């Protein structure tokens, strides 16, 4: 826009004959030239955005995976049909000591991502890698210490510990109640009806005195 203004001022200057008008136009010309000179260079387009726009399609978050481990590696298996047909540079994994990010670009018009944060134990960034197999990406996280992992992330571990604590109780009836609550929360309509019926019958027996109640 400034360049267009400058060109117009120059054109006016060539036609201007009166000194006062020429002085005003010259001052404006110098001002515009200075503005153009001091303009910041155009910002490079965000690389990720550029890649997205050039690839087209949209990004899909991967939620399904399998995993196992050896003494030295934790291995995560991600199924992606046709991934072996992509150029190798389209399958990227970035590792940190406690996380990894997988990005698969332009697979059948879509981009696929998977992020694991707070891995259970530290991994070696240099020793970790990925392998492209038929319809599958294998992410290999090299363990810093050769020890067994009970799960993949710290969050999973905490979740398991909370669940275990809910059932580890000295009161057997409380433990049973926790199990029934879990079954009710996760069950289908039939399961919920069954639990409700059993609960009602149990309460009725208590009221009739068939079952001694704790006071």
């Amino acid at each position: 826009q400034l360049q267009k203004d400058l060109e117009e001022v120059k054109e006016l200057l060539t036609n201007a004959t009166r000194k006062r008008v020429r002085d005003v136009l010259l001052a404006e010309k110098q001002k515009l030239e200075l503005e153009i000179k001091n303009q910041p260079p155009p910002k490079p387009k965000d690389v990720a955005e550029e890649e997205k726009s050039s690839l087209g399609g949209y990004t899909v978050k991967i939620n399904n995976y399998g995993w196992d481990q050896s003494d030295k590696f934790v291995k995560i298996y991600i199924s992606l049909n046709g991934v072996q047909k992509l150029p190798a540079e389209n399958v990227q994994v970035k590792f940190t000591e406690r996380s990894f990010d997988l990005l698969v670009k332009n697979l059948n018009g879509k981009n696929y991502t998977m992020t694991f944060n707070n891995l259970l134990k530290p991994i070696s960034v240099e020793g970790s890698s990925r392998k492209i197999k038929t319809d599958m990406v294998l992410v290999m996280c090299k363990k810093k210490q050769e020890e067994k992992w009970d799960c993949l992330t710290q969050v999973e571990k905490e979740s398991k510990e909370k669940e275990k604590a809910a059932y580890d109780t000295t009161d057997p009836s409380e433990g049973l109640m926790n199990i029934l609550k879990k079954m009710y929360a996760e069950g289908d309509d039939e399961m919920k009806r069954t639990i409700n019926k059993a609960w009602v019958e149990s309460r009725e027996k208590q009221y009739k005195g068939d079952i001694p109640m704790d006071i």
Side-chain angles (χ1 to χ4, degrees), residues 82-99:
V83 70
Q84 72 278 7
K85 297 172 187 173
L86 289 176
E89 62 268 21
N90 278 32
V91 181
Q92 301 170 358
V93 184
K94 291 177 183 173
F95 296 95
T96 74
E97 194 175 68
R98 292 296 286 270
S99 73

Side-chain angles (χ1 to χ4, degrees), residues 48-189:
E49 286 299 316
E50 196 169 299
E51 281 180 356
K52 253 186 211 177
S53 61
S54 64
L55 292 172
Y58 56 93
T59 299
V60 179
K61 193 174 178 183
I62 302 167
N63 292 312
N64 296 324
Y65 63 91
W67 77 284
D68 67 9
Q69 59 186 308
S70 63
D71 290 340
K72 294 184 178 181
F73 288 92
V74 170
K75 304 168 188 178
I76 298 96
Y77 301 88
I78 301 114
S79 295
L80 288 168
N81 287 335
V83 70
Q84 72 278 7
K85 297 172 187 173
L86 289 176
E89 62 268 21
N90 278 32
V91 181
Q92 301 170 358
V93 184
K94 291 177 183 173
F95 296 95
T96 74
E97 194 175 68
R98 292 296 286 270
S99 73
F100 73 82
D101 278 297
L102 167 70
L103 171 62
V104 178
K105 296 187 288 186
N106 201 16
L107 177 60
N108 302 320
K110 297 174 189 171
N111 307 319
Y112 292 83
T113 64
M114 173 181 263
T115 300
F116 269 94
N117 292 316
N118 299 314
L119 289 170
L120 186 65
K121 298 176 189 289
I123 61 171
S124 162
V125 174
E126 298 78 20
S128 299
S129 61
R130 61 101 180 96
K131 291 182 179 177
I132 302 168
K133 298 178 173 288
T134 303
D135 298 332
M136 182 184 289
V137 176
L138 169 59
V139 178
M140 300 185 67
C141 300
K142 188 167 194 288
K143 297 175 179 178
K144 275 210 164 177
Q145 293 183 328
E146 294 184 16
E147 54 187 326
K148 188 184 175 189
W149 289 27
D150 297 323
C151 45
L152 269 179
T153 65
Q154 194 66 35
V155 175
E156 281 179 60
K157 184 186 176 188
E158 288 167 9
S159 177
K160 280 185 180 179
E161 284 172 353
K162 278 181 190 171
E163 197 168 297
K164 190 181 174 195
Y167 301 132
D168 287 355
T169 171
T170 51
D171 183 351
S173 64
E174 189 183 331
L176 178 63
M177 186 58 67
N178 285 331
I179 291 168
L180 284 172
K181 281 179 184 174
K182 187 171 190 291
M183 286 169 67
Y184 187 87
E186 295 176 358
D188 56 17
D189 290 342

Side-chain angles (χ1 to χ4, degrees), residues 4-74:
K4 285 184 180 178
D5 290 345
L6 180 60
E7 285 167 14
E8 194 163 319
V9 168
K10 282 179 180 176
E11 197 176 323
L12 289 169
L13 260 171
T14 57
N15 296 324
T17 53
R18 298 181 64 82
K19 184 178 181 301
R20 190 171 174 184
V21 174
R22 282 183 66 81
D23 288 345
V24 170
L25 289 170
L26 278 168
E28 187 62 28
K29 176 175 170 281
Q30 287 169 356
K31 183 182 164 190
L32 284 167
E33 284 171 344
L34 191 63
E35 274 188 58
I36 290 167
K37 187 181 174 185
N38 293 333
Q39 256 191 327
K43 285 184 182 177
K45 203 175 178 186
D46 183 79
V47 174
E49 286 299 316
E50 196 169 299
E51 281 180 356
K52 253 186 211 177
S53 61
S54 64
L55 292 172
Y58 56 93
T59 299
V60 179
K61 193 174 178 183
I62 302 167
N63 292 312
N64 296 324
Y65 63 91
W67 77 284
D68 67 9
Q69 59 186 308
S70 63
D71 290 340
K72 294 184 178 181
F73 288 92
V74 170

